Amino acid sequence: MCGIVGYIGDKEALPVLIDGLKHLEYRGYDSAGVAILGEDLKIVKTRGRIKDLEAKLKNSNLKGKIGIGHTRWATHGAPNDENAHPHFSESKNIVIVHNGIIENYLELKKMLINEGHTFRSETDTEVIAYLIESFYDGDLLLAVKKAVNMLEGSFALGVMSKDEKDRFIAVRKDSPLVVGLGKGENFIASDIPALLSYTRNIIILENGDIAEIRKDKVNLFDLSLNPVKRDVQKITWSVDDAKKGGFKHYMLKEIFEEPQVIREAMRGRVKDGKIEVPELNFAKKFLNEINKIYFVACGTAYHAGVVGKYLAENFLRITAEAEVASEFRYRDPVIDKKTLVFVISQSGETADTLAALRLAKSKGAKTIGIVNVVGSSAAREVDSVVYINAGPEIAVASTKAYVAQVEVIALSILYLAKLSDKLTEKEERLFASAFEGLPEKAEKILKQSDSVAEFAATTKTIEETFYIGRNLDYALSLEGALKLKEISYVHAEGYPAGELKHGPLALVTPKSLVIAIDTYSPLREKTLSNIKEVKARGGKVLAVASEGYQKIEEVADKVFYVPKVADELSPVISVIPLQLLAYYVAESRGLDIDKPRNLAKSVTVE
Ligand code: F6R
């Protein structure tokens, strides 16, 4: 996720671009830049936030009435000045900003290098600029059309040419982009809030749209340059509402982003019935020597690691443990070069997780990072990093990052299983297709959010909750309980369902709510028996079960169904009702959901 903005009109472009970028900083903030076409085509860009860009711009005297800008959330290449956008083409006649991921950029880069071109950055974006230049023959629209037809992946683009002062070009495919219509001026932006100070007349571009933006006209085309028409929408939201996409809190917005997050996390990794995680191209000999796998992390990321433990043992048949980093780092774990350690971290900066990683490395383990923030400490220090590409997570309670972590862990383990001949081609094909079905299933679950909210409103007298499940559902019960306690302040614990009668059952009273997760089909009858034990003690039971398992309605007070999915992938989507429940319980109690008391987003101290 990155933010892009563009302007053409009678005003100086720079203040409009900077103002727009400030509204888009929530989409990424590791580097920022602008390109303005005045007497000349100039770029100013820097690592850091918009305020760092403003400081750099003070001495730049950047003047012109057409320009594009970008605030970055790195995906390819570390966050530094060189990799910041905008990017010039080789001759510096064309300039581009990009949000998204180009899956075939390495092939295209190789092709251009073979033709004698030299690149300046590590980004996939620069390849697009060079490609457009290679097609440029005095018509930017045509050159962009030819270039984008060669791109695979997701992109929203803003493109300017030094020789065309009266227009710039924008393209949208699988990354958001809107056009703002003003009087004698027009705009583009990744999101509506960036434009609301200037216009409320917005066109939401559709996939495959190419827009030619002139100061008094906007022309829209499809990828073959046939003209297309899109409705103009009149936006009535306030700027603040718009930043949250119309949602009341960032947490809810991030939950609703999950179908797209699931798509992005598998982009380039699931294709044509194959699962590929090239970051993990380990030799088969090395994989056969591994005799122990650890998943180390904190909080929600640790819960994603618990899923990893079950999956690793299942598919790789190697002993696996999940452990919280603050314990792992101080207990002198038995590790050697036959140990594989996954560290999982959204921020990549959590102090305990970094200390655990350094310990594992010092003892010779091979380390893999499952990380969101590109260029973060964890990403730099692990032997191999697999990014989850979830975009910035703003709410303190982690939701979309968990979904992407679990998905990327599953992809990684299946890929390692394939490399070590523990996954047949047929299984690979089945899982690839199961992954592809996940976004739609997540969307289906989100459609039940009103009914989750209704249920949450009935829980005002509940004083404590127990989340129970078996196997992967147990891993989910830990995460469900954490979500609820951290934002609603209702006491919540996750237990293996079979453990209930060994102690916790004594706490169950009519004032307790038990949330039973029962999606893991090999053990669902066992969990059903545990639900009956709770009911016999007067506890209220909410169940999360797979569609078709109607029998559970006979014992649970309320059931939320999740679509059927391969058991191993269930946590990716079955967590969604648990996240929604936590959100709506906190909301019904009027709490500050995005900033829960005593908590911070990134715990960089011990
Ligand atoms: C809970 C939550 C925390 C983080 C934990 C690790 O909602 O957000 O438990 O998961 O602090 O943070 P990262 O993943 O940044 O290492």
Side-chain angles (χ1 to χ4, degrees), residues 441-454:
K441 292 182 176 172
E443 269 155 20
K444 199 165 166 199
I445 296 174
L446 289 170
K447 290 203 176 108
Q448 294 180 55
S449 70
D450 285 350
S451 109
V452 179
E454 247 167 59

mmCIF file with all atom_site columns, all heavy atoms in Angstrom, residues 441-454:
data_model
loop_
_atom_site.group_PDB
_atom_site.id
_atom_site.type_symbol
_atom_site.label_atom_id
_atom_site.label_alt_id
_atom_site.label_comp_id
_atom_site.label_asym_id
_atom_site.label_entity_id
_atom_site.label_seq_id
_atom_site.pdbx_PDB_ins_code
_atom_site.Cartn_x
_atom_site.Cartn_y
_atom_site.Cartn_z
_atom_site.occupancy
_atom_site.B_iso_or_equiv
_atom_site.pdbx_formal_charge
_atom_site.auth_seq_id
_atom_site.auth_comp_id
_atom_site.auth_asym_id
_atom_site.auth_atom_id
_atom_site.pdbx_PDB_model_num
ATOM 1   N N   . LYS A 1 441 ? -14.531 -15.875 0.298  1.00 0.00 ? 441 LYS A N   1
ATOM 2   C CA  . LYS A 1 441 ? -15.101 -16.419 1.536  1.00 0.00 ? 441 LYS A CA  1
ATOM 3   C C   . LYS A 1 441 ? -15.018 -15.383 2.659  1.00 0.00 ? 441 LYS A C   1
ATOM 4   O O   . LYS A 1 441 ? -15.928 -15.249 3.477  1.00 0.00 ? 441 LYS A O   1
ATOM 5   C CB  . LYS A 1 441 ? -14.385 -17.714 1.913  1.00 0.00 ? 441 LYS A CB  1
ATOM 6   C CG  . LYS A 1 441 ? -14.710 -18.778 0.890  1.00 0.00 ? 441 LYS A CG  1
ATOM 7   C CD  . LYS A 1 441 ? -14.122 -20.118 1.155  1.00 0.00 ? 441 LYS A CD  1
ATOM 8   C CE  . LYS A 1 441 ? -14.676 -21.036 0.057  1.00 0.00 ? 441 LYS A CE  1
ATOM 9   N NZ  . LYS A 1 441 ? -14.137 -22.318 -0.030 1.00 0.00 ? 441 LYS A NZ  1
ATOM 10  N N   . ALA A 1 442 ? -13.912 -14.651 2.667  1.00 0.00 ? 442 ALA A N   1
ATOM 11  C CA  . ALA A 1 442 ? -13.777 -13.587 3.683  1.00 0.00 ? 442 ALA A CA  1
ATOM 12  C C   . ALA A 1 442 ? -14.867 -12.542 3.475  1.00 0.00 ? 442 ALA A C   1
ATOM 13  O O   . ALA A 1 442 ? -15.470 -12.057 4.436  1.00 0.00 ? 442 ALA A O   1
ATOM 14  C CB  . ALA A 1 442 ? -12.391 -12.952 3.585  1.00 0.00 ? 442 ALA A CB  1
ATOM 15  N N   . GLU A 1 443 ? -15.131 -12.215 2.205  1.00 0.00 ? 443 GLU A N   1
ATOM 16  C CA  . GLU A 1 443 ? -16.187 -11.226 1.923  1.00 0.00 ? 443 GLU A CA  1
ATOM 17  C C   . GLU A 1 443 ? -17.540 -11.719 2.440  1.00 0.00 ? 443 GLU A C   1
ATOM 18  O O   . GLU A 1 443 ? -18.321 -10.965 3.001  1.00 0.00 ? 443 GLU A O   1
ATOM 19  C CB  . GLU A 1 443 ? -16.287 -10.985 0.409  1.00 0.00 ? 443 GLU A CB  1
ATOM 20  C CG  . GLU A 1 443 ? -15.396 -9.838  -0.037 1.00 0.00 ? 443 GLU A CG  1
ATOM 21  C CD  . GLU A 1 443 ? -14.985 -9.930  -1.504 1.00 0.00 ? 443 GLU A CD  1
ATOM 22  O OE1 . GLU A 1 443 ? -15.648 -10.632 -2.287 1.00 0.00 ? 443 GLU A OE1 1
ATOM 23  O OE2 . GLU A 1 443 ? -13.963 -9.295  -1.843 1.00 0.00 ? 443 GLU A OE2 1
ATOM 24  N N   . LYS A 1 444 ? -17.772 -12.991 2.261  1.00 0.00 ? 444 LYS A N   1
ATOM 25  C CA  . LYS A 1 444 ? -19.051 -13.572 2.703  1.00 0.00 ? 444 LYS A CA  1
ATOM 26  C C   . LYS A 1 444 ? -19.188 -13.449 4.235  1.00 0.00 ? 444 LYS A C   1
ATOM 27  O O   . LYS A 1 444 ? -20.262 -13.154 4.740  1.00 0.00 ? 444 LYS A O   1
ATOM 28  C CB  . LYS A 1 444 ? -19.059 -15.040 2.272  1.00 0.00 ? 444 LYS A CB  1
ATOM 29  C CG  . LYS A 1 444 ? -20.420 -15.639 2.239  1.00 0.00 ? 444 LYS A CG  1
ATOM 30  C CD  . LYS A 1 444 ? -20.450 -16.939 1.470  1.00 0.00 ? 444 LYS A CD  1
ATOM 31  C CE  . LYS A 1 444 ? -21.741 -17.676 1.745  1.00 0.00 ? 444 LYS A CE  1
ATOM 32  N NZ  . LYS A 1 444 ? -21.674 -19.089 1.426  1.00 0.00 ? 444 LYS A NZ  1
ATOM 33  N N   . ILE A 1 445 ? -18.090 -13.672 4.936  1.00 0.00 ? 445 ILE A N   1
ATOM 34  C CA  . ILE A 1 445 ? -18.157 -13.574 6.404  1.00 0.00 ? 445 ILE A CA  1
ATOM 35  C C   . ILE A 1 445 ? -18.446 -12.129 6.809  1.00 0.00 ? 445 ILE A C   1
ATOM 36  O O   . ILE A 1 445 ? -19.248 -11.865 7.711  1.00 0.00 ? 445 ILE A O   1
ATOM 37  C CB  . ILE A 1 445 ? -16.827 -14.048 7.039  1.00 0.00 ? 445 ILE A CB  1
ATOM 38  C CG1 . ILE A 1 445 ? -16.601 -15.528 6.728  1.00 0.00 ? 445 ILE A CG1 1
ATOM 39  C CG2 . ILE A 1 445 ? -16.832 -13.807 8.548  1.00 0.00 ? 445 ILE A CG2 1
ATOM 40  C CD1 . ILE A 1 445 ? -15.265 -16.064 7.166  1.00 0.00 ? 445 ILE A CD1 1
ATOM 41  N N   . LEU A 1 446 ? -17.810 -11.191 6.112  1.00 0.00 ? 446 LEU A N   1
ATOM 42  C CA  . LEU A 1 446 ? -18.002 -9.777  6.478  1.00 0.00 ? 446 LEU A CA  1
ATOM 43  C C   . LEU A 1 446 ? -19.451 -9.342  6.293  1.00 0.00 ? 446 LEU A C   1
ATOM 44  O O   . LEU A 1 446 ? -19.909 -8.410  6.957  1.00 0.00 ? 446 LEU A O   1
ATOM 45  C CB  . LEU A 1 446 ? -17.058 -8.897  5.657  1.00 0.00 ? 446 LEU A CB  1
ATOM 46  C CG  . LEU A 1 446 ? -15.581 -9.023  6.053  1.00 0.00 ? 446 LEU A CG  1
ATOM 47  C CD1 . LEU A 1 446 ? -14.688 -8.327  5.043  1.00 0.00 ? 446 LEU A CD1 1
ATOM 48  C CD2 . LEU A 1 446 ? -15.347 -8.458  7.443  1.00 0.00 ? 446 LEU A CD2 1
ATOM 49  N N   . LYS A 1 447 ? -20.161 -10.040 5.417  1.00 0.00 ? 447 LYS A N   1
ATOM 50  C CA  . LYS A 1 447 ? -21.579 -9.682  5.211  1.00 0.00 ? 447 LYS A CA  1
ATOM 51  C C   . LYS A 1 447 ? -22.414 -9.993  6.456  1.00 0.00 ? 447 LYS A C   1
ATOM 52  O O   . LYS A 1 447 ? -23.532 -9.534  6.583  1.00 0.00 ? 447 LYS A O   1
ATOM 53  C CB  . LYS A 1 447 ? -22.142 -10.441 4.002  1.00 0.00 ? 447 LYS A CB  1
ATOM 54  C CG  . LYS A 1 447 ? -21.532 -9.924  2.714  1.00 0.00 ? 447 LYS A CG  1
ATOM 55  C CD  . LYS A 1 447 ? -22.412 -10.204 1.500  1.00 0.00 ? 447 LYS A CD  1
ATOM 56  C CE  . LYS A 1 447 ? -21.791 -9.568  0.279  1.00 0.00 ? 447 LYS A CE  1
ATOM 57  N NZ  . LYS A 1 447 ? -21.209 -10.540 -0.648 1.00 0.00 ? 447 LYS A NZ  1
ATOM 58  N N   . GLN A 1 448 ? -21.851 -10.812 7.375  1.00 0.00 ? 448 GLN A N   1
ATOM 59  C CA  . GLN A 1 448 ? -22.603 -11.136 8.597  1.00 0.00 ? 448 GLN A CA  1
ATOM 60  C C   . GLN A 1 448 ? -22.329 -10.133 9.712  1.00 0.00 ? 448 GLN A C   1
ATOM 61  O O   . GLN A 1 448 ? -22.708 -10.359 10.853 1.00 0.00 ? 448 GLN A O   1
ATOM 62  C CB  . GLN A 1 448 ? -22.162 -12.485 9.141  1.00 0.00 ? 448 GLN A CB  1
ATOM 63  C CG  . GLN A 1 448 ? -22.482 -13.686 8.294  1.00 0.00 ? 448 GLN A CG  1
ATOM 64  C CD  . GLN A 1 448 ? -21.967 -14.939 8.995  1.00 0.00 ? 448 GLN A CD  1
ATOM 65  O OE1 . GLN A 1 448 ? -22.292 -15.217 10.136 1.00 0.00 ? 448 GLN A OE1 1
ATOM 66  N NE2 . GLN A 1 448 ? -21.131 -15.690 8.313  1.00 0.00 ? 448 GLN A NE2 1
ATOM 67  N N   . SER A 1 449 ? -21.619 -9.062  9.422  1.00 0.00 ? 449 SER A N   1
ATOM 68  C CA  . SER A 1 449 ? -21.162 -8.200  10.514 1.00 0.00 ? 449 SER A CA  1
ATOM 69  C C   . SER A 1 449 ? -22.327 -7.609  11.317 1.00 0.00 ? 449 SER A C   1
ATOM 70  O O   . SER A 1 449 ? -22.209 -7.440  12.525 1.00 0.00 ? 449 SER A O   1
ATOM 71  C CB  . SER A 1 449 ? -20.220 -7.113  10.004 1.00 0.00 ? 449 SER A CB  1
ATOM 72  O OG  . SER A 1 449 ? -20.938 -6.206  9.248  1.00 0.00 ? 449 SER A OG  1
ATOM 73  N N   . ASP A 1 450 ? -23.456 -7.342  10.654 1.00 0.00 ? 450 ASP A N   1
ATOM 74  C CA  . ASP A 1 450 ? -24.594 -6.789  11.411 1.00 0.00 ? 450 ASP A CA  1
ATOM 75  C C   . ASP A 1 450 ? -25.086 -7.784  12.451 1.00 0.00 ? 450 ASP A C   1
ATOM 76  O O   . ASP A 1 450 ? -25.443 -7.416  13.563 1.00 0.00 ? 450 ASP A O   1
ATOM 77  C CB  . ASP A 1 450 ? -25.758 -6.464  10.461 1.00 0.00 ? 450 ASP A CB  1
ATOM 78  C CG  . ASP A 1 450 ? -25.469 -5.216  9.678  1.00 0.00 ? 450 ASP A CG  1
ATOM 79  O OD1 . ASP A 1 450 ? -24.473 -4.526  10.013 1.00 0.00 ? 450 ASP A OD1 1
ATOM 80  O OD2 . ASP A 1 450 ? -26.209 -4.926  8.714  1.00 0.00 ? 450 ASP A OD2 1
ATOM 81  N N   . SER A 1 451 ? -25.076 -9.040  12.074 1.00 0.00 ? 451 SER A N   1
ATOM 82  C CA  . SER A 1 451 ? -25.597 -10.019 13.036 1.00 0.00 ? 451 SER A CA  1
ATOM 83  C C   . SER A 1 451 ? -24.582 -10.208 14.182 1.00 0.00 ? 451 SER A C   1
ATOM 84  O O   . SER A 1 451 ? -24.973 -10.447 15.330 1.00 0.00 ? 451 SER A O   1
ATOM 85  C CB  . SER A 1 451 ? -25.977 -11.306 12.307 1.00 0.00 ? 451 SER A CB  1
ATOM 86  O OG  . SER A 1 451 ? -25.123 -12.336 12.572 1.00 0.00 ? 451 SER A OG  1
ATOM 87  N N   . VAL A 1 452 ? -23.275 -10.041 13.901 1.00 0.00 ? 452 VAL A N   1
ATOM 88  C CA  . VAL A 1 452 ? -22.290 -10.086 15.000 1.00 0.00 ? 452 VAL A CA  1
ATOM 89  C C   . VAL A 1 452 ? -22.540 -8.883  15.923 1.00 0.00 ? 452 VAL A C   1
ATOM 90  O O   . VAL A 1 452 ? -22.521 -9.010  17.157 1.00 0.00 ? 452 VAL A O   1
ATOM 91  C CB  . VAL A 1 452 ? -20.836 -10.068 14.461 1.00 0.00 ? 452 VAL A CB  1
ATOM 92  C CG1 . VAL A 1 452 ? -19.838 -10.101 15.611 1.00 0.00 ? 452 VAL A CG1 1
ATOM 93  C CG2 . VAL A 1 452 ? -20.587 -11.233 13.514 1.00 0.00 ? 452 VAL A CG2 1
ATOM 94  N N   . ALA A 1 453 ? -22.785 -7.717  15.322 1.00 0.00 ? 453 ALA A N   1
ATOM 95  C CA  . ALA A 1 453 ? -23.027 -6.508  16.136 1.00 0.00 ? 453 ALA A CA  1
ATOM 96  C C   . ALA A 1 453 ? -24.267 -6.697  17.022 1.00 0.00 ? 453 ALA A C   1
ATOM 97  O O   . ALA A 1 453 ? -24.266 -6.336  18.197 1.00 0.00 ? 453 ALA A O   1
ATOM 98  C CB  . ALA A 1 453 ? -23.205 -5.304  15.223 1.00 0.00 ? 453 ALA A CB  1
ATOM 99  N N   . GLU A 1 454 ? -25.300 -7.292  16.441 1.00 0.00 ? 454 GLU A N   1
ATOM 100 C CA  . GLU A 1 454 ? -26.529 -7.536  17.212 1.00 0.00 ? 454 GLU A CA  1
ATOM 101 C C   . GLU A 1 454 ? -26.246 -8.436  18.409 1.00 0.00 ? 454 GLU A C   1
ATOM 102 O O   . GLU A 1 454 ? -26.691 -8.188  19.517 1.00 0.00 ? 454 GLU A O   1
ATOM 103 C CB  . GLU A 1 454 ? -27.526 -8.280  16.318 1.00 0.00 ? 454 GLU A CB  1
ATOM 104 C CG  . GLU A 1 454 ? -28.748 -7.497  15.955 1.00 0.00 ? 454 GLU A CG  1
ATOM 105 C CD  . GLU A 1 454 ? -29.483 -8.215  14.829 1.00 0.00 ? 454 GLU A CD  1
ATOM 106 O OE1 . GLU A 1 454 ? -29.882 -9.383  15.016 1.00 0.00 ? 454 GLU A OE1 1
ATOM 107 O OE2 . GLU A 1 454 ? -29.599 -7.605  13.745 1.00 0.00 ? 454 GLU A OE2 1
#
